[in-house]
Amino acid sequence: MDIERIEVLKGPASALYGNTAVGGVINVITKRPGSTPEAGLWGEFGQQSRWRAGLDGGARLDKFAASVNANFYEIEGSRQYAKVEKQVASGNLQYFLDDRSQLRLKVDFVHLHDYTPGALDGLDFALNPSMSYNTFTYNRVNKITPSLTYDRTIGDGGAFKMAFQVQSATDGHSISPASIRNVNIGTTTPPKYVGNVEYVSGLDFDVRTQYVQVLKPYRTRLIGGLDYSNSGQQLDHSTVDITRTAGKFVRMSNQTLDRSFDISANIISPYLQAEMSPIEKLRLTLGGRYDAILYDVTDKYFGRFGGSRDFYRFSFKGGATYDILPNLNAFATYSQGFVAPTVAQLYADPQAANRFLNAQHSDGYEFGLRGNFWENRVKCGISYYDMTIDNVIVQPASTLPYQNIGKTENHGVELTGSIQPIDMVRVSLAYTYSRNTYDNYYSEGRSFNGNLMPRAPENHINARLALLPVKGLEVELEVDEVTKQYADDANLMPYSRPTILNLRANYTWKYVSFWASLLNLTNQNYATYVSPSTLTANTVSYYPGDPRTFYAGVAFKWQ
């Protein structure tokens, strides 16, 4: 209820976002207090003891506007030891200094306790996907995030924004199912199981400044800014012995601290972007972003696993759109991307860290057509993309460190379309063909050149039929199909997911909204994620998806 809208920006054609936005941006825009008083209350229930509820409200008085939002979420889950508890609250206070400037103070709080059941090996996944090997794995964190934003319009067509944000993470600790492994896997030695417990706390500080100037010649828009982020964390990493009884991990013992770090990360990113229309039907976008990422890691335990690494890169972005017809346009983009290795990959991961890793960088382009016809009853789009990522970071096996390989080649075609022949019926279709392969990838005397990347099916089809029989009511049937994928780099472990059907309905009447969903309609046993097992050699681990699940909710809104 705190979200105003979500923008999906396809393709990395903007310099305004971070260095990791290689394939696109999902931009979540939160609400600001409205000009009229409003209040809302909502609740949702469903199978697996699913409960969600929340409230929100806001009002404006003279130069002040305020809003609050709070909600909680609790679910037992479809599997053993899979309970999730989450509480979220936010407060928003806006002060209008004058008719051109305002201050906004926002404070967010999140508490999460997530019991994580982990993956299953093949036979257990097929016969009893609701089971879990893990009786105690979890992730817990508390976060408080205050932010202060100043906005001001300047002159004719100018706008300045500056935002300060602090995020405090406390009581963060976890033991991940993925960290539990058989250290004697692949040998005749009896299994011995160990895992990792992490304790994390820290304080992040961000400053973002941006200036926008609109100019009349060529409908020009200039955007420039500077992003700065400082992250300070304390990370303690311990190894524990795990006892397995009757197929379940039931006890931790002999917890031994093996890594302890003070981590400092500074990111400085100036950017500039220009948009203009030299002719009426043509819109050009050119921009660039320079990222400097500076790591300083102190090993407080051994004293030898820390260090400093700096990564720098300028990334160019460019794009163009051309209106072939009033309702049909062509577009093309070219962009460069940059992703630095994480602190865990460089230093903190005791099994796989590699301090000599280099940053990944990408070059990609995309072009296509999009349009709408018949008074927006028909919408369609087609595009082709091609992207090369160099110095890709991979972990060839759970027993090996991270390494840079030559590159990956990523290209494909995306099709989208919808048609609403009558007011009561709408049909939508999205299809993606994507081929993502390794190039110049060798490990332990093996070549993976030409292999498909794991968990990257080549075909994905999503179709939806929506019926709108009366005003305010919409019922939608969704069909989602993906083709074969592989769990491993060698492409020796295939997985084919069954077709998933989902049924949803929502109805709005005056100030009341109702919704209901029946997910996985045919009750398929499927995996949301597959990977090589860390417990049994040469087998696949499956992360089970939910069985057929029903939930429903109601919301009241007063204005």
Side-chain angles (χ1 to χ4, degrees), residues 280-447:
E280 183 178 355
K281 294 183 178 183
L282 179 65
R283 187 70 173 169
L284 300 176
T285 301
L286 297 173
R289 183 183 184 92
Y290 182 80
D291 292 291
I293 301 175
L294 316 175
Y295 293 139
D296 188 8
V297 180
T298 301
D299 181 357
K300 302 192 300 177
Y301 188 66
F302 286 109
R304 66 177 186 270
F305 291 119
S308 298
R309 287 293 305 275
D310 300 338
F311 302 91
Y312 307 92
R313 189 167 181 88
F314 175 81
S315 301
F316 170 78
K317 321 280 185 175
T321 61
Y322 182 77
D323 295 329
I324 301 171
L325 298 170
N327 53 358
L328 176 67
N329 67 65
F331 64 92
T333 65
Y334 170 77
S335 63
Q336 299 170 334
F338 169 59
V339 181
T342 66
V343 169
Q345 292 170 333
L346 290 167
Y347 302 108
D349 190 320
Q351 281 76 45
N354 178 0
R355 68 179 66 193
F356 302 108
L357 289 173
N358 295 315
Q360 303 177 132
H361 48 89
S362 67
D363 290 272
Y365 63 86
E366 181 178 13
F367 57 86
L369 298 168
R370 57 192 167 212
N372 62 83
F373 308 93
W374 194 17
E375 298 179 341
N376 282 328
R377 289 182 178 272
V378 176
K379 300 177 183 179
C380 59
I382 180 172
S383 64
Y384 173 82
Y385 70 90
D386 191 288
M387 180 167 59
T388 299
I389 305 177
D390 294 306
N391 291 330
V392 175
I393 297 173
V394 299
Q395 186 182 9
S398 60
T399 57
L400 296 176
Y402 293 102
Q403 67 180 61
N404 290 108
I405 64 170
K407 61 182 177 180
T408 62
E409 300 283 354
N410 312 269
H411 62 270
V413 176
E414 296 182 341
L415 301 170
T416 60
S418 67
I419 182 170
Q420 191 167 4
I422 58 176
D423 292 342
M424 295 173 54
V425 178
R426 183 179 66 246
V427 180
S428 304
L429 177 69
Y431 169 73
T432 300
Y433 168 78
S434 58
R435 186 168 177 83
N436 308 286
T437 57
Y438 290 119
D439 190 11
N440 196 19
Y441 178 10
Y442 302 90
S443 179
E444 295 191 309
R446 301 174 65 185
S447 171

Side-chain angles (χ1 to χ4, degrees), residues 46 48 83 160 163 198 218 281 318 323 326 330 348 414 427 463 515:
Q48 293 118 39
K83 187 175 182 179
F160 173 75
E198 287 190 350
Y218 305 117
K281 294 183 178 183
D323 295 329
E414 296 182 341
V427 180
W515 63 89

Side-chain angles (χ1 to χ4, degrees), residues 108 112 145 151 177 208 247 258 356 362 392 405 438 453 529 538:
D108 295 304
L112 172 67
T145 309
D151 291 285
R208 304 185 185 278
D258 55 14
F356 302 108
S362 67
V392 175
I405 64 170
Y438 290 119
M453 297 175 64
Y529 188 90
N538 303 317

Side-chain angles (χ1 to χ4, degrees), residues 21 54 60 114 128 153-154 193 199 207 212-213 229 242 266 275 278 296 310 322 356 368 392 437-438 510 555:
R60 179 173 177 176
D114 181 6
N128 188 9
T153 57
I154 299 174
Y193 301 100
Y199 296 86
V207 181
V212 180
Q213 182 66 55
S229 175
I242 306 289
N266 289 278
E275 305 167 9
D296 188 8
D310 300 338
Y322 182 77
F356 302 108
V392 175
T437 57
Y438 290 119
K510 294 185 177 180

